[in-house]
Amino acid sequence: TQLLEQSPQFLSIQEGENLTVYCNSSSVFSSLQWYRQEPGEGPVLLVTVVTGGEVKKLKRLTFQFGDARKDSSLHITAAQPGDTGLYLCAGKTSYDKVIFGPGTSLSVIP
Amino acid sequence: EAGVAQSPRYKIIEKRQSVAFWCNPISGHATLYWYQQILGQGPKLLIQFQNNGVVDDSQLPKDRFSAERLKGVDSTLKIQPAKLEDSAVYLCASSRGLGNYEQYFGPGTRLTVT
């Protein structure tokens, strides 16, 4: 069974701080996605990474896919209260199945 | 472009009762997904449709859960009878097709079983 682990589970930081959250697995994924989910809403896709070692930037967010395509990280620079939410990683297996991690709950305090 | 619609948004039932959820995907999206998200966990795929055919239902508890997408557009998910552990948010998502396509999620239905 392929599993995704995310760390930390909870993160509370002050506005303006930097942070990194991690997504790890013992399995290889053909692609990996990061979503943000706000309370009472469904997840919204932030980025898809496909190539091992790939780095993508989305404004203050930097996403990296591990060389072996088993792990990924999300780095947020100068966090803002609007970044508050549940960050989910989701890996797509070679069988085209999408598996979600348990998420990192981020709270950015003004 | 309208997003994925789900109803109801909230439902409270007693255990052993039945419940049904409805999902209308984005127009033209061939693939439809139903996920279960228990509090504190990530979404777990219950069933995936490609048009009106089932692609994956390996994690659907078929003794109590059923889903259909008869005309390849909207879909219903039913639980009969419900158990306490079915309390969760049920998310519907759609995408243009199989492959590396973005999934668009609806707001979900929060089910509480008492």
Side-chain angles (χ1 to χ4, degrees), chain B residues 3 48 85 104 111:
Chain B
Q48 178 181 344
E85 58 261 36
Y104 294 82
L111 173 67

Side-chain angles (χ1 to χ4, degrees), chain A residues 6 8-12 19 21 35-39 46 74 76 80-88 103-108:
Chain A
Q6 290 189 243
Q9 186 177 0
F10 300 98
L11 189 56
S12 181
L19 67 112
V21 297
Y35 290 81
R36 181 170 68 216
Q37 184 177 23
E38 298 187 19
L46 297 173
L74 159 59
I76 302 179
Q80 299 177 2
D83 296 328
T84 293
L86 180 68
Y87 288 82
L88 295 159
T104 291
S105 180
L106 172 65
S107 177
V108 182

Side-chain angles (χ1 to χ4, degrees), chain B residues 4 12-13 18 22 25 27-28 37-38 47 51 66-67 84 90 93 95 99 106 109 113:
Chain B
V4 176
I12 300 174
I13 62 172
S18 301
W22 174 81
S27 178
Q37 186 175 23
I38 294 173
I47 189 166
N51 296 310
S66 65
L84 295 176
Y90 290 85
S95 67
T109 296
V113 182

Side-chain angles (χ1 to χ4, degrees), chain A residues 28-32 34 49-56 63-73:
Chain A
V28 175
F29 292 98
S30 59
S31 65
L32 195 136
W34 284 92
V49 285
V50 179
T51 306
E54 183 176 3
V55 176
K56 281 192 174 179
F63 305 85
Q64 184 163 7
F65 200 12
D67 292 340
R69 290 185 289 134
K70 293 182 179 181
D71 55 86
S72 181
S73 64

Side-chain angles (χ1 to χ4, degrees), chain B residues 33-111:
Chain B
Y33 312 78
W34 282 103
Y35 289 89
Q36 180 192 59
Q37 186 175 23
I38 294 173
L39 186 65
Q41 299 182 17
K44 182 182 84 171
L45 180 68
L46 293 176
I47 189 166
Q48 178 181 344
F49 291 95
Q50 178 69 13
N51 296 310
N52 61 349
V54 175
V55 174
D56 183 358
D57 64 356
S58 57
Q59 298 193 95
L60 185 73
K62 298 180 185 64
D63 57 333
R64 298 184 300 107
F65 286 64
S66 65
E68 60 184 14
R69 194 185 183 199
L70 293 176
K71 296 182 179 179
V73 181
D74 56 353
S75 176
T76 56
L77 175 69
K78 297 179 181 178
I79 307 175
Q80 179 180 9
K83 293 185 175 181
L84 295 176
E85 58 261 36
D86 297 332
S87 293
V89 175
Y90 290 85
L91 294 164
C92 178
S94 70
S95 67
R96 291 181 185 174
L98 298 175
N100 276 333
Y101 288 112
E102 177 178 353
Q103 291 187 42
Y104 294 82
F105 283 82
T109 296
R110 180 176 295 278
L111 173 67

